[in-house]
PDB file of all heavy atoms in Angstrom:
ATOM      1  N   LEU A 261     126.505 210.842  56.686  1.00 98.00           N
ATOM      2  CA  LEU A 261     127.503 209.782  56.517  1.00 98.00           C
ATOM      3  C   LEU A 261     128.489 210.134  55.373  1.00 98.00           C
ATOM      4  O   LEU A 261     129.590 209.763  55.359  1.00 98.00           O
ATOM      5  CB  LEU A 261     126.845 208.413  56.296  1.00 98.00           C
ATOM      6  CG  LEU A 261     126.053 207.805  57.461  1.00 98.00           C
ATOM      7  CD1 LEU A 261     125.508 206.436  57.104  1.00 98.00           C
ATOM      8  CD2 LEU A 261     126.921 207.716  58.709  1.00 98.00           C
ATOM      9  N   TYR A 262     127.971 210.868  54.403  1.00 98.00           N
ATOM     10  CA  TYR A 262     128.812 211.396  53.283  1.00 98.00           C
ATOM     11  C   TYR A 262     129.951 212.201  53.828  1.00 98.00           C
ATOM     12  O   TYR A 262     131.116 211.916  53.444  1.00 98.00           O
ATOM     13  CB  TYR A 262     127.931 212.122  52.316  1.00 98.00           C
ATOM     14  CG  TYR A 262     128.725 213.076  51.462  1.00 98.00           C
ATOM     15  CD1 TYR A 262     129.367 212.571  50.334  1.00 98.00           C
ATOM     16  CD2 TYR A 262     128.813 214.441  51.767  1.00 98.00           C
ATOM     17  CE1 TYR A 262     130.179 213.453  49.519  1.00 98.00           C
ATOM     18  CE2 TYR A 262     129.574 215.302  50.963  1.00 98.00           C
ATOM     19  CZ  TYR A 262     130.176 214.786  49.806  1.00 98.00           C
ATOM     20  OH  TYR A 262     130.931 215.531  49.001  1.00 98.00           O
ATOM     21  N   LYS A 263     129.628 213.094  54.714  1.00 98.00           N
ATOM     22  CA  LYS A 263     130.618 214.009  55.270  1.00 98.00           C
ATOM     23  C   LYS A 263     131.682 213.138  56.163  1.00 98.00           C
ATOM     24  O   LYS A 263     132.924 213.315  56.112  1.00 98.00           O
ATOM     25  CB  LYS A 263     130.069 215.096  56.188  1.00 98.00           C
ATOM     26  CG  LYS A 263     129.478 216.206  55.331  1.00 98.00           C
ATOM     27  CD  LYS A 263     129.129 217.391  56.274  1.00 98.00           C
ATOM     28  CE  LYS A 263     128.372 218.421  55.460  1.00 98.00           C
ATOM     29  NZ  LYS A 263     127.582 219.304  56.344  1.00 98.00           N
ATOM     30  N   LEU A 264     131.139 212.260  56.844  1.00 98.00           N
ATOM     31  CA  LEU A 264     132.052 211.410  57.772  1.00 98.00           C
ATOM     32  C   LEU A 264     132.959 210.539  56.941  1.00 98.00           C
ATOM     33  O   LEU A 264     134.172 210.485  57.214  1.00 98.00           O
ATOM     34  CB  LEU A 264     131.246 210.490  58.735  1.00 98.00           C
ATOM     35  CG  LEU A 264     130.306 211.163  59.828  1.00 98.00           C
ATOM     36  CD1 LEU A 264     129.797 210.158  60.711  1.00 98.00           C
ATOM     37  CD2 LEU A 264     130.982 212.325  60.459  1.00 98.00           C
ATOM     38  N   TRP A 265     132.491 209.955  55.831  1.00 98.00           N
ATOM     39  CA  TRP A 265     133.263 209.122  54.987  1.00 98.00           C
ATOM     40  C   TRP A 265     134.325 209.978  54.252  1.00 98.00           C
ATOM     41  O   TRP A 265     135.517 209.566  54.215  1.00 98.00           O
ATOM     42  CB  TRP A 265     132.461 208.342  54.014  1.00 98.00           C
ATOM     43  CG  TRP A 265     133.182 207.380  53.112  1.00 98.00           C
ATOM     44  CD1 TRP A 265     133.428 207.411  51.753  1.00 98.00           C
ATOM     45  CD2 TRP A 265     133.909 206.218  53.495  1.00 98.00           C
ATOM     46  NE1 TRP A 265     134.155 206.464  51.293  1.00 98.00           N
ATOM     47  CE2 TRP A 265     134.487 205.669  52.412  1.00 98.00           C
ATOM     48  CE3 TRP A 265     134.127 205.611  54.757  1.00 98.00           C
ATOM     49  CZ2 TRP A 265     135.289 204.540  52.406  1.00 98.00           C
ATOM     50  CZ3 TRP A 265     134.910 204.394  54.778  1.00 98.00           C
ATOM     51  CH2 TRP A 265     135.487 203.901  53.660  1.00 98.00           C
ATOM     52  N   LYS A 266     133.913 211.140  53.793  1.00 98.00           N
ATOM     53  CA  LYS A 266     134.849 212.068  53.103  1.00 98.00           C
ATOM     54  C   LYS A 266     135.973 212.406  54.086  1.00 98.00           C
ATOM     55  O   LYS A 266     137.168 212.394  53.724  1.00 98.00           O
ATOM     56  CB  LYS A 266     134.041 213.246  52.736  1.00 98.00           C
ATOM     57  CG  LYS A 266     134.819 214.201  51.765  1.00 98.00           C
ATOM     58  CD  LYS A 266     133.844 215.277  51.301  1.00 98.00           C
ATOM     59  CE  LYS A 266     134.777 216.211  50.473  1.00 98.00           C
ATOM     60  NZ  LYS A 266     134.028 217.330  49.959  1.00 98.00           N
ATOM     61  N   ARG A 267     135.600 212.745  55.300  1.00 98.00           N
ATOM     62  CA  ARG A 267     136.603 213.088  56.322  1.00 98.00           C
ATOM     63  C   ARG A 267     137.524 211.895  56.617  1.00 98.00           C
ATOM     64  O   ARG A 267     138.727 212.022  56.827  1.00 98.00           O
ATOM     65  CB  ARG A 267     135.823 213.522  57.547  1.00 98.00           C
ATOM     66  CG  ARG A 267     136.626 214.180  58.657  1.00 98.00           C
ATOM     67  CD  ARG A 267     137.240 215.538  58.117  1.00 98.00           C
ATOM     68  NE  ARG A 267     138.356 215.866  59.002  1.00 98.00           N
ATOM     69  CZ  ARG A 267     139.547 215.451  58.845  1.00 98.00           C
ATOM     70  NH1 ARG A 267     139.848 214.598  57.852  1.00 98.00           N
ATOM     71  NH2 ARG A 267     140.592 215.785  59.677  1.00 98.00           N
ATOM     72  N   ARG A 268     136.898 210.718  56.820  1.00 98.00           N
ATOM     73  CA  ARG A 268     137.666 209.525  57.087  1.00 98.00           C
ATOM     74  C   ARG A 268     138.706 209.258  56.070  1.00 98.00           C
ATOM     75  O   ARG A 268     139.953 208.986  56.363  1.00 98.00           O
ATOM     76  CB  ARG A 268     136.674 208.380  57.226  1.00 98.00           C
ATOM     77  CG  ARG A 268     137.364 207.050  57.763  1.00 98.00           C
ATOM     78  CD  ARG A 268     137.518 206.017  56.697  1.00 98.00           C
ATOM     79  NE  ARG A 268     138.303 204.915  57.242  1.00 98.00           N
ATOM     80  CZ  ARG A 268     139.341 204.399  56.657  1.00 98.00           C
ATOM     81  NH1 ARG A 268     139.766 204.817  55.538  1.00 98.00           N
ATOM     82  NH2 ARG A 268     140.003 203.393  57.248  1.00 98.00           N
ATOM     83  N   GLN A 269     138.279 209.288  54.798  1.00 97.00           N
ATOM     84  CA  GLN A 269     139.197 209.021  53.714  1.00 97.00           C
ATOM     85  C   GLN A 269     140.272 210.025  53.618  1.00 97.00           C
ATOM     86  O   GLN A 269     141.482 209.692  53.369  1.00 97.00           O
ATOM     87  CB  GLN A 269     138.369 208.992  52.347  1.00 97.00           C
ATOM     88  CG  GLN A 269     137.464 207.820  52.255  1.00 97.00           C
ATOM     89  CD  GLN A 269     138.198 206.408  52.361  1.00 97.00           C
ATOM     90  OE1 GLN A 269     138.497 205.912  53.426  1.00 97.00           O
ATOM     91  NE2 GLN A 269     138.436 205.733  51.181  1.00 97.00           N
ATOM     92  N   ALA A 270     139.959 211.309  53.878  1.00 96.00           N
ATOM     93  CA  ALA A 270     141.014 212.393  53.842  1.00 96.00           C
ATOM     94  C   ALA A 270     142.144 212.099  54.850  1.00 96.00           C
ATOM     95  O   ALA A 270     143.254 212.374  54.516  1.00 96.00           O
ATOM     96  CB  ALA A 270     140.394 213.706  54.038  1.00 96.00           C
ATOM     97  N   THR A 271     141.794 211.575  55.950  1.00 97.00           N
ATOM     98  CA  THR A 271     142.864 211.267  57.020  1.00 97.00           C
ATOM     99  C   THR A 271     143.508 209.924  56.818  1.00 97.00           C
ATOM    100  O   THR A 271     144.735 209.801  56.967  1.00 97.00           O
ATOM    101  CB  THR A 271     142.200 211.387  58.381  1.00 97.00           C
ATOM    102  OG1 THR A 271     141.920 212.773  58.571  1.00 97.00           O
ATOM    103  CG2 THR A 271     143.202 210.909  59.485  1.00 97.00           C
ATOM    104  N   LYS A 272     142.758 208.879  56.471  1.00 97.00           N
ATOM    105  CA  LYS A 272     143.304 207.499  56.514  1.00 97.00           C
ATOM    106  C   LYS A 272     143.613 206.890  55.123  1.00 97.00           C
ATOM    107  O   LYS A 272     143.945 205.728  55.096  1.00 97.00           O
ATOM    108  CB  LYS A 272     142.317 206.619  57.260  1.00 97.00           C
ATOM    109  CG  LYS A 272     142.158 206.940  58.740  1.00 97.00           C
ATOM    110  CD  LYS A 272     141.481 205.799  59.439  1.00 97.00           C
ATOM    111  CE  LYS A 272     141.253 206.167  60.890  1.00 97.00           C
ATOM    112  NZ  LYS A 272     140.666 205.005  61.651  1.00 97.00           N
ATOM    113  N   PHE A 273     143.376 207.622  54.065  1.00 97.00           N
ATOM    114  CA  PHE A 273     143.614 207.043  52.796  1.00 97.00           C
ATOM    115  C   PHE A 273     144.338 208.105  51.897  1.00 97.00           C
ATOM    116  O   PHE A 273     143.978 209.240  51.943  1.00 97.00           O
ATOM    117  CB  PHE A 273     142.255 206.661  52.187  1.00 97.00           C
ATOM    118  CG  PHE A 273     142.347 205.860  50.861  1.00 97.00           C
ATOM    119  CD1 PHE A 273     143.035 204.633  50.893  1.00 97.00           C
ATOM    120  CD2 PHE A 273     141.791 206.287  49.713  1.00 97.00           C
ATOM    121  CE1 PHE A 273     143.120 203.916  49.618  1.00 97.00           C
ATOM    122  CE2 PHE A 273     141.825 205.529  48.500  1.00 97.00           C
ATOM    123  CZ  PHE A 273     142.536 204.366  48.474  1.00 97.00           C
ATOM    124  N   ASN A 274     145.228 207.639  51.044  1.00 96.00           N
ATOM    125  CA  ASN A 274     145.997 208.628  50.211  1.00 96.00           C
ATOM    126  C   ASN A 274     145.710 208.394  48.724  1.00 96.00           C
ATOM    127  O   ASN A 274     146.502 208.860  47.953  1.00 96.00           O
ATOM    128  CB  ASN A 274     147.487 208.522  50.504  1.00 96.00           C
ATOM    129  CG  ASN A 274     147.968 209.827  51.080  1.00 96.00           C
ATOM    130  OD1 ASN A 274     147.257 210.835  51.027  1.00 96.00           O
ATOM    131  ND2 ASN A 274     149.215 209.828  51.611  1.00 96.00           N
TER     132      ASN A 274
END
Side-chain angles (χ1 to χ4, degrees):
L261 292 183
Y262 161 78
K263 281 190 187 159
L264 297 189
W265 182 246
K266 190 170 174 184
R267 189 66 198 82
R268 189 252 173 229
Q269 292 298 80
T271 290
K272 295 196 182 182
F273 188 60
N274 242 349

